[in-house]
Amino acid sequence: MNYTEFNAEKSLFEQEFGEMVKQAAKSGGVTIAEHNRALLERAKTLFELHYISQDIYELLCRACAYHDLGKANPRMQERLKCSELKFDPDLEIPHNVLSMYLMPKDASPEYDILLFAVGFHHDYGDVFRLLEDPEKQSLAKELLKEWECAKHPGRKAIKKIQSYITQPETKNKMILVKGLLHKCDYAASGETEIEYQNDFLMRKTTRFFEEKGFSLNEMQRFCLQRQDENIMVVGQTGMGKTEAALLWIGDHKGFVFLPVRTAINKMYDRIRNEIIVDESADGIEKQLGLLHSDAVSRLLEQQERNEQRKENVKGALYQEMDVIAYHDRSKQLAMPLTISTVDQLFDFIFQYQTYELKLATLSYSKIVIDEIQMYGADLLADLIFGLKMIRDLGGRIAITTATLAPFVKELMEEVVGEFAYGVFCEREQIRHRIKIIPEMMDAEAITEKFWGCLSAKDTKTPSGKILVICNTIQKAQWMYDELREQIGEERDRVHLLHSRFIRRDRTMKENEICECGATEHEETVIWISTSLVEASLDIDFDYLFTELQDIPSLLQRMGRVNRKGRKAVDDYNCFIYTEIEDKYLERPYVPGREQQRERTTFIDRDIFELSKLALEETLNPEKEGFLSEGRKMEMMEKYFTTERLVNTNYMRKCRKQMEKLNDIVLYELDRKDIRIREDIFTKDVIPLPVYESCQQEIEDSAKKIRSSNTAMLEKIKERSRIMQYTVPVQSYMVQEYEKAVRKGLSAEYCRPVQIGTYEKINVIDCDYDNRMGFRAKKFVKVEDPIFV
């Protein structure tokens, strides 16, 4: 087609465009023109906030204008008038495909970018097949016969789209325009704001420092001075990494990602109550978002607490919020600052249809990844791969952590690119004196320390808060029993926290350990836990007894003792047991041999042995167990290099996952089948003892949820109440229970709680109490009774 023909076609389109957009876009009578204006207003917002460039803005405006033109066909218009009519694939073609027929052609690459964005803006049908099928081409011609400008985009255009999506220089534009079109379309259809401006965070963070009488430390100045750079920041516990991250984000759109929900909730509460401090309708609801799988329940709980006190921590009058609308703004990624788990956004790496919306949003955002050392090999690979995609589109990244292994830093730089790097600690400060115990952990030394603290309390009034961290829940439960038995009459001073308590009990225990773990709180007490406390809870104990897992996790555990560095270290305050059960260690990696993971193994044997070596060589006898902050950093830098870890299972799994992600075919995966969390093998269940004691409340709530007379908000509240009685357990435990029931073993059958048409919660036969938590039963064959 020559230039004259292009101009003629464009002129014909312009003549007919005005009539097309008068037709309906929605069943409520909204016209295509009205809907387009709503999209264009939201596109303008993105441009005025400086989130997108001039050329992307212009392309986005054209995509907004074209995206729904395919609705201007008689069959679609008839359906919009009559809700009883459904889409008939024999009589219709999806409107996103028909819109491709109506777009004005030109010879520029921008035409093909727009064609892709418009044609794929809905996941309706196989677009390329519908364009190539002769019968569908004839049907399209019939449906669009009213419009002389309607014309098949051509095989050449289809091939160009397929080619451009693989070429970096055109692929990025295609992702941005399509993703932003999705974002504008969803916001316009929902009649919501596309973005809320961040014009407050720098001012409020600065105010926080002024009110507290704090001045910026070296790490915080580093972040503030590099707001336009990608940064990696390693800072010792207690240096204010949260505040540093907020200073780096400044008055820009930001996301902060943490590894566990507990940590997210704590950070959300802290930023909300200490930094943003604004419960008005134009305050917190349009400034700070919360995103994780249980966020609505968390927000409802917080609202109920606020309703009870009616004032927030600063004394400002509390305004009741619409929790559902508030959470929807977070889910729509419209909030200026959002605290989230990785699984909520990073699933875009699987390139399902519409993945571009999340990626395009992150492309103009600042991304903070906190405590990256907490992620396993697969999740680390997912994270790094996603960060590369974000950076390629213009997003900026900050890694903030207390411990960063050199191999992680080098892998990040290899895949994602260069970062400004800073390590900050008081190198000579000594907060920990360590005693290595080359044995398996037992209760005797802990009991001895407990009695020593308790007997000294009356004379010297010291604090004797003892934290015991085990690598497994089973070991923690065993240790709890052993310590209570050995301590005897003071057994009520022994407490247990792990992830297999029902939510109600776990929340109570987390609050208790945080209260006990406050630096100024003095008490002789023992808390036993797992890796749960490594990064999620802000606690400050006096003594640590822990099993070794690896050095990064050990440093996190040590950060829960003498956190502020105010306590004397004349005596040992960290006791590390360097022998663990072999069944928890993965077999060594052998190149060329496929390795099947066993159910109980979760610790990389090579990394475990390397960690033992690092401790032994760093804490040689002449050092007397003293470990300064500087030597902690040096230990990480010396032992956890790429060279030392290249042949470990961890690195093998990480590389293998990245290869899988590289091989993904666009739109091949279905979004509903994608899981990015490490806890995909867990399931929420109600323990039978809990169900029996709370059956009335659980079933009453379930009945209200099933009722068509219950309002949506009330259904969410009732579901949240039921979930307070649930505990996450490994899926295999549920399967073993169900198998035992089928085989007629000693497992009591429990009817699931039906909380909706398609959702039910299993009730399983197990042991449970609020001291020990969930314990799986061993089911045995039931012998027939013998009557004499």
Side-chain angles (χ1 to χ4, degrees):
M1 184 180 290
N2 59 39
Y3 180 78
T4 305
E5 289 173 322
F6 274 129
N7 275 347
E9 189 169 293
K10 186 177 180 181
S11 176
L12 184 59
F13 168 80
E14 289 171 349
Q15 292 170 23
E16 295 185 323
F17 177 77
E19 293 302 314
M20 288 183 211
V21 297
K22 289 178 182 177
Q23 300 206 22
K26 305 287 180 183
S27 55
V30 175
T31 66
I32 296 172
E34 290 168 336
H35 181 54
N36 283 356
R37 275 197 295 274
L39 267 78
L40 291 168
E41 286 171 8
R42 286 156 177 82
K44 186 179 180 183
T45 297
L46 294 176
F47 181 64
E48 290 179 342
L49 289 173
H50 307 290
Y51 288 167
I52 57 176
S53 62
Q54 179 76 39
D55 62 326
I56 294 297
Y57 174 57
E58 291 173 0
L59 283 171
L60 177 59
C61 288
R62 291 171 67 186
C64 292
Y66 301 154
H67 81 291
D68 268 358
L69 293 180
K71 291 182 177 179
N73 73 81
R75 177 70 186 178
M76 180 81 183
Q77 292 300 305
E78 190 178 354
R79 272 199 300 113
L80 289 172
K81 291 174 185 174
C82 179
S83 60
E84 295 177 2
L85 288 175
K86 304 301 177 186
F87 180 84
D88 186 339
D90 294 325
L91 300 176
E92 287 187 81
I93 291 174
H95 76 268
N96 48 298
V97 177
L98 293 179
S99 294
M100 300 171 81
Y101 280 78
L102 294 170
M103 287 172 52
K105 281 190 175 183
D106 65 51
S108 69
E110 282 72 22
Y111 168 71
D112 302 295
I113 291 169
L114 290 169
L115 200 64
F116 172 73
V118 169
F120 288 86
H121 83 274
H122 284 299
D123 190 11
Y124 297 160
D126 184 332
V127 175
F128 290 135
R129 186 188 65 78
L130 290 169
L131 287 172
E132 292 170 350
D133 186 334
E135 290 185 10
K136 297 300 180 184
Q137 290 177 16
S138 299
L139 178 57
K141 187 175 181 181
E142 175 63 25
L143 289 168
L144 299 176
K145 64 183 180 182
E146 180 180 355
W147 313 112
E148 291 183 46
C149 67
K151 194 169 184 178
H152 187 278
R155 290 186 60 82
K156 187 181 288 186
I158 295 170
K159 287 182 177 179
K160 279 186 179 179
I161 290 174
Q162 293 169 330
S163 169
Y164 283 175
I165 201 65
T166 64
Q167 299 173 20
E169 60 272 20
T170 47
K171 179 181 180 179
N172 289 348
K173 272 191 176 182
M174 294 172 89
I175 291 171
L176 285 174
V177 176
K178 181 173 183 282
L180 296 170
L181 176 60
H182 284 308
K183 193 170 175 72
C184 291
D185 197 10
Y186 295 164
S189 297
E191 299 181 1
T192 60
E193 296 292 331
I194 192 167
E195 289 288 357
Y196 291 91
Q197 184 176 4
N198 182 354
D199 57 1
F200 61 88
L201 189 57
M202 199 67 208
R203 170 173 49 84
K204 292 191 173 186
T205 305
T206 303
R207 181 188 65 191
F208 168 79
F209 276 89
E210 291 170 351
E211 290 179 351
K212 295 287 185 181
F214 297 157
S215 56
L216 300 189
N217 60 32
E218 187 183 1
M219 179 186 68
Q220 291 159 346
R221 288 195 299 273
F222 177 91
C223 294
L224 178 60
Q225 292 163 3
R226 289 165 177 79
Q227 285 188 330
D228 295 327
E229 299 178 44
N230 298 295
I231 62 172
M232 280 190 203
V233 173
V234 183
Q236 75 180 60
T237 304
M239 286 196 76
K241 288 189 290 295
T242 299
E243 293 84 350
L246 298 181
L247 290 168
W248 177 76
I249 292 170
D251 286 344
H252 201 89
K253 185 176 181 67
F255 290 88
V256 181
F257 294 95
L258 290 97
V260 290
R261 284 199 302 257
T262 306
I264 287 170
N265 290 336
K266 296 292 182 186
M267 180 176 283
Y268 173 84
D269 289 347
R270 181 159 180 260
I271 293 174
R272 175 174 179 160
N273 296 327
E274 295 184 22
I275 296 175
I276 292 182
V277 196
D278 189 348
E279 299 290 350
S280 67
D282 289 319
I284 197 70
E285 292 186 55
K286 297 177 182 178
Q287 294 177 354
L288 179 65
L290 179 68
L291 266 183
H292 58 66
S293 57
D294 198 36
V296 174
S297 296
R298 172 72 181 180
L299 293 169
L300 285 169
E301 289 168 17
Q302 189 167 55
Q303 178 161 299
E304 287 176 4
R305 288 197 302 271
N306 282 337
E307 285 173 347
Q308 290 169 3
R309 59 183 179 167
K310 293 297 180 183
E311 290 186 353
N312 70 6
V313 291
K314 290 286 181 177
L317 184 63
Y318 168 76
Q319 301 290 325
E320 183 174 345
M321 69 167 67
D322 183 338
V323 168
I324 303 303
Y326 174 41
H327 186 245
D328 282 346
R329 286 193 283 274
S330 296
K331 289 197 299 182
Q332 292 157 4
L333 313 184
M335 300 295 270
L337 180 63
T338 303
I339 318 298
S340 176
T341 48
V342 167
D343 64 280
Q344 294 293 310
L345 274 84
F346 271 70
D347 60 352
F348 68 80
I349 61 177
F350 296 104
Q351 298 181 59
Y352 54 83
Q353 168 62 294
T354 73
Y355 83 94
E356 297 93 344
L357 188 157
K358 290 181 179 178
L359 184 52
T361 302
L362 295 171
S363 76
Y364 58 76
S365 304
K366 287 187 167 185
I367 316 300
V368 177
I369 307 295
D370 195 25
E371 305 300 359
I372 196 170
Q373 80 286 341
M374 292 288 290
Y375 296 101
D378 288 350
L379 255 178
L380 179 66
D382 292 342
L383 193 59
I384 291 175
F385 194 87
L387 291 175
K388 173 177 169 49
M389 293 175 73
I390 293 168
R391 185 161 172 175
D392 285 348
L393 266 76
R396 277 167 283 174
I397 301 157
I399 310 296
T400 62
T401 181
T403 57
L404 182 65
F407 81 90
V408 176
K409 175 180 180 287
E410 290 159 15
L411 184 60
M412 186 80 69
E413 290 173 335
E414 174 193 333
V415 177
V416 182
E418 291 184 359
F419 288 79
Y421 180 60
V423 178
F424 304 93
C425 68
E426 297 179 38
R427 302 193 73 86
E428 301 306 317
Q429 184 186 35
I430 298 175
R431 295 185 295 147
H432 303 112
R433 188 179 181 189
I434 298 169
K435 184 174 184 178
I436 298 175
I437 305 171
E439 302 169 3
M440 289 192 184
M441 181 190 280
D442 61 28
E444 291 180 8
I446 303 169
T447 303
E448 184 180 338
K449 176 60 72 175
F450 171 83
W451 286 118
C453 292
L454 195 63
S455 61
K457 187 171 184 181
D458 294 334
T459 55
K460 301 178 184 178
T461 61
S463 180
K465 297 183 295 187
I466 300 169
L467 180 64
V468 180
I469 302 183
C470 304
N471 289 339
T472 66
I473 293 172
Q474 290 88 340
K475 184 64 174 279
Q477 290 171 328
W478 176 85
M479 185 63 67
Y480 175 77
D481 263 348
E482 283 290 303
L483 284 168
R484 281 176 61 86
E485 184 177 339
Q486 291 190 20
I487 286 172
E489 62 185 21
E490 296 288 350
R491 65 173 61 91
D492 288 343
R493 292 177 182 266
V494 182
H495 306 275
L496 177 65
L497 170 64
H498 53 70
S499 61
R500 283 197 207 142
F501 284 99
I502 61 171
R503 292 188 187 183
R504 180 193 63 190
D505 294 343
R506 177 171 164 178
T507 300
M508 179 184 68
K509 286 175 176 290
E510 285 175 352
N511 292 336
E512 288 174 357
I513 195 174
C514 286
E515 183 180 339
C516 173
T519 302
E520 61 278 4
H521 184 91
E522 292 189 350
E523 181 182 2
T524 299
V525 66
I526 299 174
W527 273 91
I528 305 157
S529 191
T530 62
S531 59
L532 176 71
V533 299
E534 283 181 21
S536 58
L537 301 176
D538 186 1
I539 53 178
D540 188 1
F541 276 64
D542 303 305
Y543 301 100
L544 170 70
F545 289 80
T546 181
E547 293 183 287
L548 177 65
Q549 181 168 323
D550 56 55
I551 292 297
S553 70
L554 176 63
L555 294 180
Q556 287 293 124
R557 294 175 186 189
M558 289 166 59
R560 271 61 210 155
V561 171
N562 198 8
R563 188 172 177 84
K564 308 292 185 184
R566 299 173 187 168
K567 301 169 185 177
V569 287
D570 300 330
D571 195 5
Y572 295 106
N573 60 4
C574 294
F575 302 83
I576 303 166
Y577 293 82
T578 58
E579 294 300 319
I580 62 174
E581 292 180 75
D582 194 73
K583 67 181 181 179
Y584 298 127
L585 295 169
E586 294 177 341
R587 294 176 183 174
Y589 170 57
V590 179
R593 181 187 299 174
E594 187 66 27
Q595 183 165 338
Q596 296 296 321
R597 179 176 174 178
E598 297 172 22
R599 183 181 291 172
T600 59
T601 62
F602 66 98
I603 298 174
D604 187 295
R605 186 182 297 269
D606 295 317
I607 293 178
F608 178 77
E609 295 297 338
L610 183 62
S611 297
K612 284 175 68 173
L613 177 67
L615 282 176
E616 290 163 2
E617 293 186 354
T618 304
L619 294 168
N620 52 56
E622 64 187 54
K623 298 288 195 282
E624 297 182 318
F626 293 107
L627 186 62
S628 69
E629 297 303 307
R631 284 176 59 228
K632 289 177 188 176
M633 300 291 185
E634 290 164 9
M635 182 166 58
M636 287 291 292
E637 290 165 5
K638 178 179 178 181
Y639 291 94
F640 286 83
T641 62
T642 303
E643 191 174 46
R644 285 182 184 262
L645 273 74
V646 67
N647 288 322
T648 60
N649 279 316
Y650 188 98
M651 287 298 287
R652 177 187 62 83
K653 285 186 282 190
C654 193
R655 295 283 186 186
K656 188 174 182 180
Q657 177 66 3
M658 281 208 223
E659 288 171 8
K660 286 182 181 178
L661 295 171
N662 261 318
D663 292 340
I664 286 175
V665 176
L666 184 68
Y667 302 158
E668 188 175 62
L669 299 176
D670 194 317
R671 183 179 179 182
K672 69 177 184 295
D673 298 326
I674 291 169
R675 297 287 184 275
I676 196 172
R677 301 188 308 273
E678 283 190 319
D679 62 352
I680 57 174
F681 301 114
T682 66
K683 193 170 186 177
D684 287 325
V685 302
I686 300 175
L688 178 58
V690 174
Y691 179 78
E692 289 175 338
S693 63
C694 305
Q695 181 176 356
Q696 190 66 50
E697 301 97 301
I698 293 170
E699 292 298 345
D700 284 351
S701 290
K703 185 177 180 181
K704 289 177 184 176
I705 294 170
R706 296 193 300 269
S707 171
S708 58
N709 296 322
T710 307
M712 181 56 68
L713 181 59
E714 287 306 309
K715 287 188 177 187
I716 292 170
K717 287 182 178 180
E718 295 299 337
R719 187 182 187 281
S720 178
R721 290 189 180 104
I722 292 175
M723 296 309 289
Q724 292 300 309
Y725 301 110
T726 64
V727 58
V729 301
Q730 272 74 17
S731 295
Y732 78 81
M733 292 181 178
V734 181
Q735 292 162 6
E736 286 182 351
Y737 159 70
E738 292 172 342
K739 185 178 178 181
V741 170
R742 289 195 303 270
K743 288 191 171 185
L745 302 183
S746 59
E748 182 176 342
Y749 170 72
C750 311
R751 182 175 55 84
V753 176
Q754 197 74 37
I755 60 173
T757 307
Y758 304 107
E759 186 179 8
K760 62 183 180 181
I761 300 175
N762 290 82
V763 179
I764 71 171
D765 189 5
C766 64
D767 290 318
Y768 185 89
D769 59 63
N770 60 10
R771 293 186 303 104
M772 293 272 283
F774 174 95
R775 284 97 69 209
K777 282 184 175 180
K778 290 185 178 179
F779 302 112
V780 297
K781 184 177 180 181
V782 179
E783 301 291 344
D784 291 333
I786 299 174
F787 297 95
V788 179

